[in-house]
Amino acid sequence: MNPVFWLLLFIAAVTAWFAVSGLFMPVGKMLLKKWDKLVSGQEEPRENEKNKKMEEKNNE
């Protein structure tokens, strides 16, 4: 086939690659933020409100 055709095909493929990666980067950042919130939520145990109130009363 014509070498110019292959060159144009290669340029089109590279352009499409950058266009697609540009679309998925914001989605990836959003998913990364959600993942960080999910993981940090599991690391920090949540205390029950009743336990907090009872501890405050015991400390007085």
Side-chain angles (χ1 to χ4, degrees):
M1 288 205 172
N2 191 352
V4 176
F5 171 76
W6 289 110
L7 178 65
L8 291 175
L9 185 66
F10 178 73
I11 292 171
V14 170
T15 304
W17 178 271
F18 283 112
V20 170
S21 68
L23 292 174
F24 285 111
M25 285 182 67
V27 174
K29 287 180 184 179
M30 180 181 68
L31 290 175
L32 186 61
K33 286 181 184 179
K34 288 186 181 232
W35 177 259
D36 288 341
K37 287 181 182 179
L38 180 68
V39 171
S40 68
Q42 291 176 353
E43 291 175 357
E44 300 169 1
R46 296 181 181 165
E47 293 185 22
N48 193 356
E49 290 296 323
K50 289 181 182 180
N51 290 343
K52 282 185 179 180
K53 289 179 182 177
M54 292 182 78
E55 287 177 7
E56 288 175 3
K57 287 181 184 177
N58 292 337
N59 288 337
E60 289 179 354

